[in-house]
Amino acid sequence: MATSVRRTTLTLPAASVGPDNPLPALRTADDPHRIEIPADAGLPADMARRLGHHPLRSILPARRRDGYGRARRPTDIDALVIENDRLRATVLPGLGGRVYSLHHKPTDRELLYRNPVLQPANFALNGAWFSGGIEWNIGAMGHTTLACAPLHAARVPAPDGGEMLRLWEWEPLRDLPFQVGLWLPEGSDFLHVGVRIRNPHPHPAPVYWWSNTAVPEGAGTRVLAPADEAWHFGYERTLRRVPVPGSDGADRTYPLRSAFPADYFYEVPDGARRWVTSLDEDGAGLVQTSTDTLRGRKLFLWGAERAGRRWQQWLTEPGTGGYAEIQAGLARTQLEHVALDGGAEFAWLEAYGPLAADPAAVHGDDWGAARDEVAARLEAALPRADVDAAYAAWRPYADHDPKESLADGSGWGALEGARAGFDLPGTPFDAAALGAEQQPWLTLLRTGDLPAEVPLPGPAPVAPAWRDLLESARPGPSADYHLGLARWHAGDRAQAVRSWELALGHDAGPLPLYCLAVAESEAGDTARAADRFAEAFACAARRAEEPAAPDPATARVWRAALPALAREAVPALLADGRVGEAAGLLAQLHGDSLADGRFRLLSARVLLAQGQPAAAREIFDAGIEIADLREGDEVLSDTWYAVAERLVAGAGPVTEDVRARARAEHPLPERYEFRMRPV
């Protein structure tokens, strides 16, 4: 039985991803992975060079996805099943092409951590992401902006005469097309995955790729890779080389023997076969291997302390067991980006399947013997030469045109095709995919001008070619606003500000005001930033109350934008000491918005600033649940302790003794414990 591909539907308890944030994403999210590397760290030369290679300045043109909550209801989710007589893989094309399940039929064993719920959380570069399965991370350091987005999917011929599932899309952050082909050769216990990233532009592009696999996290589970050293990152802004398997007095290859969340990027020697595996107490589990282009291997663990346990409950379903991640990437670490020349491509083959090894060897004290046991079992199950041969067989099929569409992605690749006429065999970005979001940009291509209407929230291309077109367009509220976005994305912040100021001269509405507020904030002008944020909120409030005729939809847009503006305006006003204005702005929001956890926290912060810590504490005691709490964000614990310190200190100063008493008398409740580092 060669691979067959069919449609199905999964029904899962799911929280809706919700609407995108209406404001342009001019900044990257607060990144918990920023590091400080001492001069004597001894980094390999290529690693040191790649650590600073083209970091993101913003997540434009992507939009922030923070409109989800935590209310889950049974939801039908489109899925595609790839199956042979040994394995069954279930893929979610509407959610980043995630491999949700990989079931081994002979042993009736699920090889992945299969999340029983679909709960978005703020881990992607643009927000919404969910845990479990195998995900394809492309773009920049972190989880892809496409984590909860639809990909194009089609049925294509597989190298062995069966069927292959191809996924593809245009990645927005680096402006590159990519494809993922999945198939199961006849009689194979391994899911084969062919990946290709192309750079159709004349200039080099920074590339990032990590395939992340969630695996069950049992007390006896061990993660093995062919390495004696690893680069450890523990959310403390440092990267250091540590021995494998043990460091700091514990064997870190067992995920539950660490206390806090951590990354271990394995230093796989040149020439060694590249693999990583997670095996339970019986020596059984999942192994991943690849051709050598995919050089990096990693373990991510949540740790056994209560913060890691709290995150696991937050991302999954309490009582259903946790997970760790085994990963594979283009570079040694996820802190690096690799340059891809213009007109060139990266391509490789991965394989995922079951592995059974001698548990005495796997869990013995001899690390070298444990690794050798796994390597031998892998070679017997899937020889390295067979992986190379499968890659060679797949390459000609990567260009085959799809024969049956199974799911639709976005229209942005089709827009790039309309602009540049790229020839991309195997990944047809068909003009039929062009939708309403692309229409203004088609107008710019065809006429040289954007429609002159006041800009409304929405996605917008910002790549150099589009900036050039906007530079030549007739000035107007929309053209000037969007030119500002493109200039900001390019790092030309002074000219971006000039464009937004010109847009204001055309009465362009709240969006240029918001952009100018961010620019002032980034420049460190706290007072001016607070002014601009308040102006943007007031402008949107006026637009929301304008008479419904002739365009009631516009008023609805600005009403929907008010909470997003308030989320940034209130902290800016508090930072400038304007507590009364912050309270007044919050009071203008609809009651439904104020019930949201983010605004409950802002209300507590305002009360604290007003000298009412007891009232602030009442909000915490009643419960604050921030659905889009960011990975690494400590705002809940910081605010809790700030309230506790003021309760202890009264009107007096907050001394070290007061801080110690506050922590002793007001311990942080478990439901607010999300700190990913030792405190």
Side-chain angles (χ1 to χ4, degrees):
M1 179 183 176
T3 305
S4 65
V5 179
R6 59 182 170 87
R7 288 188 173 96
T8 191
T9 300
L10 298 182
T11 301
L12 294 173
S16 169
V17 173
D20 289 348
N21 190 302
L23 305 176
L26 300 180
R27 296 186 268 206
T28 57
D30 290 335
D31 184 8
H33 301 95
R34 290 194 307 273
I35 58 171
E36 298 175 3
I37 301 175
D40 61 351
L43 301 181
D46 61 337
M47 181 176 168
R49 182 173 63 252
R50 290 170 175 170
L51 285 173
H53 184 61
H54 283 272
L56 288 180
R57 298 188 182 98
S58 74
I59 61 166
L60 291 171
R63 300 177 72 190
R64 285 174 290 189
R65 313 204 73 181
D66 56 9
Y68 51 87
R70 292 188 58 80
R72 297 191 286 263
R73 58 185 56 86
T75 304
D76 290 340
I77 299 168
D78 291 336
L80 300 170
V81 173
I82 313 163
E83 190 167 15
N84 69 359
D85 55 346
R86 309 286 293 177
L87 281 174
R88 181 172 60 249
T90 304
V91 179
L92 308 181
L95 293 165
R98 184 78 59 100
V99 180
Y100 175 73
S101 168
L102 187 60
H103 183 81
H104 187 233
K105 296 179 182 181
T107 58
D108 193 27
R109 184 185 181 101
E110 174 60 48
L111 300 178
L112 307 177
Y113 173 77
R114 186 174 59 190
N115 198 335
V117 302
L118 201 164
Q119 175 57 60
N122 194 356
F123 277 68
L125 288 160
N126 62 336
W129 168 89
F130 65 102
S131 63
I134 306 171
E135 58 178 305
W136 318 111
N137 287 304
I138 181 173
M141 182 176 64
H143 296 280
T144 176
T145 61
L146 301 171
C148 290
L151 303 189
H152 298 281
R155 193 192 315 267
V156 296
D160 63 346
E163 295 179 330
M164 177 163 55
L165 171 63
R166 180 175 299 151
L167 307 165
W168 72 97
E169 188 48 280
W170 196 276
E171 196 285 314
L173 299 184
R174 301 306 191 182
D175 203 27
L176 302 175
F178 72 98
Q179 67 188 87
V180 179
L182 305 98
W183 80 101
L184 293 161
E186 184 174 359
S188 176
D189 282 324
F190 284 83
L191 174 67
H192 287 48
V193 182
V195 182
R196 177 165 66 170
I197 304 169
R198 287 183 279 193
N199 181 5
H201 307 293
H203 52 79
V207 172
Y208 171 98
W209 181 281
W210 281 80
S211 303
N212 289 13
T213 304
V215 290
E217 169 209 66
T221 296
R222 192 178 205 187
V223 171
L224 300 97
D228 291 316
E229 292 182 309
W231 296 92
H232 169 264
F233 173 81
Y235 294 86
E236 299 172 272
R237 309 297 189 200
T238 60
L239 187 69
R240 59 190 178 95
R241 195 193 297 257
V242 298
V244 176
S247 63
D248 300 324
D251 187 330
R252 305 301 180 182
T253 61
Y254 291 89
L256 288 175
R257 295 187 187 177
S258 292
F260 291 92
D263 298 327
Y264 290 91
F265 300 101
Y266 295 112
E267 188 67 60
V268 180
D270 291 341
R273 185 175 186 181
R274 307 203 173 259
W275 54 265
V276 62
T277 186
S278 173
L279 303 177
D280 64 16
E281 61 273 11
D282 297 322
L286 174 90
V287 66
Q288 187 273 0
T289 188
S290 71
T291 50
D292 289 351
T293 296
L294 203 65
R295 66 170 301 175
R297 292 298 185 276
K298 172 192 163 183
L299 161 65
F300 168 76
L301 54 87
W302 282 107
E305 290 295 322
R306 71 174 191 165
R309 299 301 94 197
R310 178 68 176 127
W311 274 114
Q312 294 262 24
Q313 295 169 6
W314 187 254
L315 298 172
T316 63
E317 182 73 6
T320 58
Y323 71 94
E325 289 181 357
I326 55 175
Q327 308 181 13
L330 282 174
R332 279 184 174 87
T333 74
Q334 289 175 333
L335 309 174
E336 305 166 63
H337 297 87
V338 183
L340 179 60
D341 290 337
E345 65 180 44
F346 289 132
W348 64 90
L349 185 121
E350 305 180 44
Y352 297 81
L355 190 73
D358 177 7
V362 167
H363 297 288
D365 294 332
D366 188 333
W367 173 245
R371 282 176 24 216
D372 290 346
E373 166 67 10
V374 170
R377 297 288 183 140
L378 173 59
E379 186 65 19
L382 183 66
R384 185 178 188 178
D386 286 4
V387 175
D388 293 335
Y391 170 73
W394 164 74
R395 284 309 303 270
Y397 287 81
D399 285 344
H400 280 215
D401 288 333
K403 63 181 183 179
E404 180 188 352
S405 176
L406 298 171
D408 295 325
S410 79
W412 295 108
L415 181 68
E416 290 302 317
R419 181 190 63 78
F422 293 128
D423 181 23
L424 298 169
T427 55
F429 293 100
D430 199 84
L434 293 165
E437 291 182 332
Q438 289 81 44
Q439 290 307 312
W441 304 98
L442 286 171
T443 300
L444 176 62
L445 279 177
R446 292 164 179 165
T447 70
D449 289 310
L450 272 179
E453 292 90 350
V454 170
L456 293 174
V462 292
W466 292 101
R467 186 177 72 247
D468 292 344
L469 288 168
L470 288 165
E471 296 273 8
S472 302
R474 186 183 315 136
S478 187
D480 288 329
Y481 164 70
H482 285 105
L483 179 56
L485 296 182
R487 286 172 164 173
W488 181 270
H489 176 72
D492 191 350
R493 297 192 167 185
Q495 288 301 310
V497 167
R498 181 174 180 274
S499 292
W500 292 325
E501 289 173 339
L502 289 172
L504 286 183
H506 296 298
D507 193 23
L511 291 177
L513 281 167
Y514 169 77
C515 293
L516 289 168
V518 174
E520 299 286 5
S521 176
E522 292 288 285
D525 192 336
T526 305
R528 188 62 179 148
D531 287 341
R532 292 287 201 186
F533 279 122
E535 285 180 60
F537 182 90
C539 182
R542 289 193 300 272
R543 299 286 173 111
E545 297 304 320
E546 287 176 350
D551 185 10
T554 299
R556 288 197 297 270
V557 165
W558 296 120
R559 279 195 291 274
L562 287 175
L565 286 163
R567 281 180 55 165
E568 300 199 48
V570 171
L573 290 165
L574 289 176
D576 196 43
R578 292 150 66 172
V579 180
E581 288 182 60
L585 194 150
L586 269 182
Q588 296 180 55
L589 293 178
H590 192 276
D592 290 346
S593 295
L594 291 175
D596 177 83
R598 184 66 64 174
F599 288 106
R600 289 180 60 76
L601 178 64
L602 285 175
S603 297
R605 291 176 62 188
V606 168
L607 288 168
L608 180 62
Q610 290 174 325
Q612 301 181 61
R617 175 59 179 267
E618 288 178 2
I619 293 177
F620 273 96
D621 291 343
I624 299 174
E625 187 175 75
I626 301 176
D628 67 325
L629 187 70
R630 182 73 181 164
E631 173 192 11
D633 191 345
E634 298 180 359
V635 65
L636 279 169
S637 50
D638 287 350
T639 308
W640 169 273
Y641 283 125
V643 170
E645 288 164 4
R646 186 47 57 196
L647 287 171
V648 171
V654 177
T655 63
E656 288 303 318
D657 179 62
V658 165
R659 291 193 176 94
R661 284 181 53 204
R663 279 154 177 73
E665 296 173 13
H666 303 275
L668 183 70
E670 184 175 349
R671 62 179 168 173
Y672 299 135
E673 180 59 275
F674 290 96
R675 293 172 292 183
M676 299 180 74
R677 60 187 177 89
V679 178

